[in-house]
Amino acid sequence: DSGVTQTPKHLITATGQRVTLRCSPRSGDLSVYWYQQSLDQGLQFLIQYYNGEERAKGNILERFSAQQFPDLHSELNLSSLELGDSALYFCASSLEGQGNTGELFFGEGSRLTVL
Amino acid sequence: AQKITQTQPGMFVQEKEAVTLDCTYDTSDPSYGLFWYKQPSSGEMIFLIYQGSYDQQNATEGRYSLNFQKARKSANLVISASQLGDSAMYFCAMKHNYGQNFVFGPGTRLSVLP
C-alpha cells in the first residue's frame, strides 16, 4: 500500500460527459502529480501541484483541469469526454526537499472508459 | 528538455537468469535523479530503485541494481536471478533535483519464461 488513495477505481461514462477523479496523497506529501496512461502506452505527464499551487503543466488538454485543495487532496476534472480519453489515470505524490530522493508514490489508478 | 529512451519494447529472459533493461536519458542539468518503476499486469506502479547523479556507487536493492554510466547518460536496470513474478512493464524515469517535472520513458515489457 503506497498510501496514495484514488477514487473511483473504475468509471464508465459516455462521450460528452464530465467526470471528476479524486486523489489523496500520502500523509505529509505536498506534491501531487497526475498522469494519463492509455492502453499499452507509457505515462503522459498531465500536471503537478505543490502545496496548493500549480507547479508544472504537461500535455494536458484544455478540456481537462485540476486543482489541489488546502487539505492537499487533488481532483482532476475531465469534460466533453471523447473515446480517446479512455485510459488509466494515475495520481502520485512525493515528499520533496533536502535529503529526499523524491520518488513518486502512486495510487492504484482510476480506469476511465468512455463509450 | 528532459527525455528518456528505452530502446527495448519487449524482452524475454529465462527464469533464474539475469537480464539488463536499457535506459538512456538526455539532460544538460548536472543535478538529477534516476528511477525505475515496475508495472505488473494488475496495473499498479511500484518503485524499485533510485540513483542520484552525484552518487559515486551504483545503487542496489535486493535483486535489482542500476548500472549508472554518467558520461554515457545511461542508467540500465539489472535484475538478477529472474523470477516469474518479474514479468511486467518496467519504466525508467528522471527528475531534476531543482525541477518540477518527473519524466518517464516508454517502458520495456519483460517476460520471464519458465
Side-chain angles (χ1 to χ4, degrees):
Chain A
D1 183 2
S2 67
V4 179
T5 303
Q6 284 188 251
T7 57
K9 287 188 168 44
H10 300 276
L11 191 55
I12 302 174
T13 189
T15 54
Q17 295 298 305
R18 172 189 169 95
V19 299
T20 297
L21 310 181
R22 195 178 192 278
C23 170
S24 294
R26 284 191 327 155
S27 178
D29 286 357
L30 300 178
S31 193
V32 169
Y33 294 72
W34 285 98
Y35 288 87
Q36 178 193 55
Q37 186 179 34
S38 301
L39 191 62
D40 288 336
Q41 298 293 312
L43 285 88
Q44 296 298 316
F45 170 66
L46 296 178
I47 198 163
Q48 183 207 359
Y49 283 85
Y50 182 82
N51 201 20
E53 299 290 326
E54 181 184 305
R55 206 183 200 188
K57 217 169 195 177
N59 299 321
I60 186 167
L61 300 171
E62 285 191 9
R63 300 183 286 107
F64 296 0
S65 65
Q67 55 183 326
Q68 186 179 29
F69 295 86
D71 67 352
L72 301 178
H73 92 270
S74 178
E75 293 181 356
L76 178 66
N77 300 297
L78 315 175
S79 62
S80 303
L81 286 168
E82 302 176 359
L83 296 178
D85 297 329
S86 294
L88 186 57
Y89 290 85
F90 281 111
C91 168
S93 73
S94 170
L95 177 62
E96 299 184 11
Q98 195 87 12
N100 292 303
T101 58
E103 73 261 33
L104 295 183
F105 293 88
F106 281 81
E108 293 183 341
S110 293
R111 184 168 295 282
L112 173 66
T113 303
V114 182
L115 301 176
Chain B
Q2 302 163 252
K3 185 178 179 182
I4 302 287
T5 301
Q6 294 178 255
T7 57
Q8 307 152 313
M11 289 275 289
F12 290 91
V13 65
Q14 209 68 38
E15 194 178 6
K16 299 180 185 175
E17 292 187 350
V19 62
T20 298
L21 306 184
D22 294 343
C23 172
T24 58
Y25 57 93
D26 186 20
T27 182
S28 56
D29 194 314
S31 185
Y32 51 88
L34 296 157
F35 305 78
W36 278 90
Y37 284 82
K38 172 184 179 181
Q39 186 179 37
S41 58
S42 51
E44 72 268 31
M45 293 287 289
I46 302 167
F47 167 69
L48 295 178
I49 196 167
Y50 163 83
Q51 178 85 42
S53 60
Y54 295 116
D55 293 344
Q56 295 296 312
Q57 293 190 328
N58 288 339
T60 60
E61 287 288 346
R63 293 187 298 110
Y64 304 110
S65 61
L66 203 152
N67 184 0
F68 181 46
Q69 298 186 46
K70 192 170 183 177
R72 297 182 60 188
K73 295 186 177 177
S74 77
N76 298 339
L77 177 70
V78 181
I79 305 175
S80 62
S82 296
Q83 301 172 356
L84 295 178
D86 294 334
S87 294
M89 280 290 283
Y90 288 82
F91 292 97
C92 179
M94 177 173 70
K95 182 182 186 297
H96 289 144
N97 290 356
Y98 303 105
Q100 293 81 38
N101 204 352
F102 206 109
V103 178
F104 284 80
T108 294
R109 183 174 297 280
L110 177 66
S111 298
V112 180
L113 306 174

